[in-house]
Amino acid sequence: MGDDLGDEWWTHEGNSGASEAEEETQLEKQPTEKPNAKTKPEKRKSVTEKTVKAKKTKKNEQKECIIPPKKETEDEKSTKPKRKRKKKTITDVLSSSEPKPGCPADLQSLVTQYFSDKLSVIEQEELKLLDSSFLSSNDLTHTLSSYLKQVCPKWSKIQKQHKEKSSVVLLIVCSSALRTIELIKQLTAFKGEAKALKLFAKHIKIEEQVKLLQKGVTHIGVGTPGRISALIEKDGLGLQALRYVVLDWNWRDQKLRRMVDVPEVKLDFMKLLESGILNGCKEDKIKIGLF
């Protein structure tokens, strides 16, 4: 019996040892679980989401870059206002060059240009003035008094002989009321005992000027072409005694414009020439001077 028990114990020990060895071998064969095995798929998931987002943004960026700029159609181009080149004004031209004194040819070309689309060729020929119709022009060295003394050397005799009312011997035409007052002041050294009258529309009614012309003898009229031509139309100012018409041709305002460069003044001036002055020049009764 003792032997049997010993054999059983041995066999049991042997079996238990074998089983333990088998267990160890099995444990070795089984793959060991890596730490954080459960979190692995979550990391992959987050990585994949990031890559998808990155790809989408790249695609969007590519799309934004690929889209070409919109081309303007012909209709859109036509509707857009075109930039116009700024025209040079008289001020721009004259500020960069010295002003030249006027001459009879300047007045003649102005008259021809103005009537080119209003009169026939034959009528335009009739408007051409002879050189004898002009007084000598101002060379920009004269004052008004010194210029008038040059072109009207017998003024004292002429003014004494003048006795007609509602008419003047000398007519000075300028662009504005202020310029009229300035020119009348400059006449002091020339006019002597002659009477000068302001002929402009500012603050003076035309009826008042008609009364003044009818009341006494006026030798010199100084004013704007608009008011002078209106007085002639109303028979308030006659041309029967008129001998000299002096145009304030070379004077320029703050914008460097002459009298004939201002559109409305130019229009009135041409009407004044038509009212009988051009005819008087052709008949050799009136002479024109460019001051």
Side-chain angles (χ1 to χ4, degrees):
M1 274 194 62
D3 294 335
D4 292 336
L5 287 166
D7 293 337
E8 285 176 4
W9 177 84
W10 182 84
T11 55
H12 180 73
E13 287 286 330
N15 289 334
S16 63
S19 62
E20 285 177 2
E22 286 175 2
E23 285 177 3
E24 287 177 3
T25 54
Q26 285 175 2
L27 288 169
E28 287 176 359
K29 286 179 181 179
Q30 288 178 0
T32 57
E33 291 181 0
K34 293 181 181 179
N36 300 327
K38 290 180 181 178
T39 58
K40 190 173 182 181
E42 289 180 1
K43 282 185 178 179
R44 282 183 180 175
K45 188 178 180 183
S46 63
V47 170
T48 53
E49 285 177 357
K50 285 180 181 178
T51 52
V52 169
K53 285 180 181 178
K55 284 179 181 178
K56 283 182 179 178
T57 53
K58 280 183 181 179
K59 283 181 181 178
N60 290 333
E61 286 175 1
Q62 286 177 355
K63 283 180 182 177
E64 288 175 2
C65 296
I66 289 167
I67 294 169
K70 188 179 178 182
K71 291 181 179 180
E72 291 180 356
T73 59
E74 291 182 359
D75 294 334
E76 288 175 349
K77 285 180 182 178
S78 61
T79 53
K80 279 190 175 182
K82 293 180 180 179
R83 287 185 180 179
K84 292 182 179 179
R85 289 183 180 179
K86 190 180 177 182
K87 291 182 179 179
K88 284 188 177 181
T89 61
I90 297 162
T91 309
D92 296 331
V93 174
L94 291 173
S95 60
S96 59
S97 61
E98 292 183 2
K100 295 179 181 179
C103 62
D106 295 334
L107 177 61
Q108 190 65 69
S109 63
L110 180 72
V111 172
T112 304
Q113 184 182 1
Y114 178 79
F115 290 108
S116 61
D117 57 345
K118 297 175 179 63
L119 301 175
S120 65
V121 178
I122 297 169
E123 288 172 329
Q124 287 179 42
E125 286 293 326
E126 292 177 356
L127 290 176
K128 286 187 178 179
L129 300 174
L130 300 173
D131 293 338
S132 59
S133 300
F134 292 94
L135 301 167
S136 61
S137 301
N138 180 19
D139 57 0
L140 304 181
T141 61
H142 285 283
T143 63
L144 181 59
S145 286
S146 66
Y147 174 72
L148 291 174
K149 284 178 181 179
Q150 179 186 343
V151 298
C152 307
K154 297 179 181 180
W155 175 250
S156 59
K157 184 180 179 181
I158 293 168
Q159 64 141 348
K160 285 176 183 177
Q161 290 176 349
H162 177 58
K163 303 293 182 183
E164 293 184 43
K165 294 180 180 180
S166 299
S167 187
V168 296
V169 179
L170 170 61
L171 196 59
I172 301 171
V173 185
C174 59
S175 59
S176 66
L178 289 173
R179 182 62 177 165
T180 299
I181 295 166
E182 186 181 340
L183 290 176
I184 287 175
K185 289 177 181 178
Q186 292 180 21
L187 283 171
T188 306
F190 166 77
K191 70 176 184 177
E193 296 178 359
K195 183 182 177 182
L197 188 63
K198 296 177 287 187
L199 303 176
F200 54 76
K202 194 172 184 179
H203 307 308
I204 303 174
K205 292 180 180 179
I206 192 168
E207 291 80 13
E208 292 176 11
Q209 290 170 340
V210 171
K211 286 178 182 179
L212 287 170
L213 288 164
Q214 291 173 348
K215 190 176 180 180
V217 176
T218 305
H219 304 84
I220 304 169
V222 187
T224 57
R227 176 49 61 94
I228 293 169
S229 59
L231 285 165
I232 294 169
E233 285 177 9
K234 286 183 175 290
D235 295 326
L237 178 65
L239 302 179
Q240 62 273 11
L242 185 62
R243 293 184 63 176
Y244 305 104
V245 175
V246 174
L247 308 176
D248 191 26
W249 187 271
N250 297 305
W251 183 82
R252 299 180 185 275
D253 61 13
Q254 291 180 349
K255 295 181 180 179
L256 301 179
R257 298 176 302 177
R258 300 170 301 173
M259 174 176 64
V260 293
D261 294 325
V262 183
E264 56 271 19
V265 179
K266 177 184 173 181
L267 184 63
D268 291 336
F269 173 65
M270 301 312 294
K271 286 180 181 177
L272 176 60
L273 292 180
E274 280 186 286
S275 64
I277 291 174
L278 288 176
N279 289 334
C281 291
K282 288 190 71 177
E283 293 170 3
D284 201 24
K285 292 179 181 179
I286 301 171
K287 293 188 183 295
I288 296 177
L290 275 61
F291 171 64

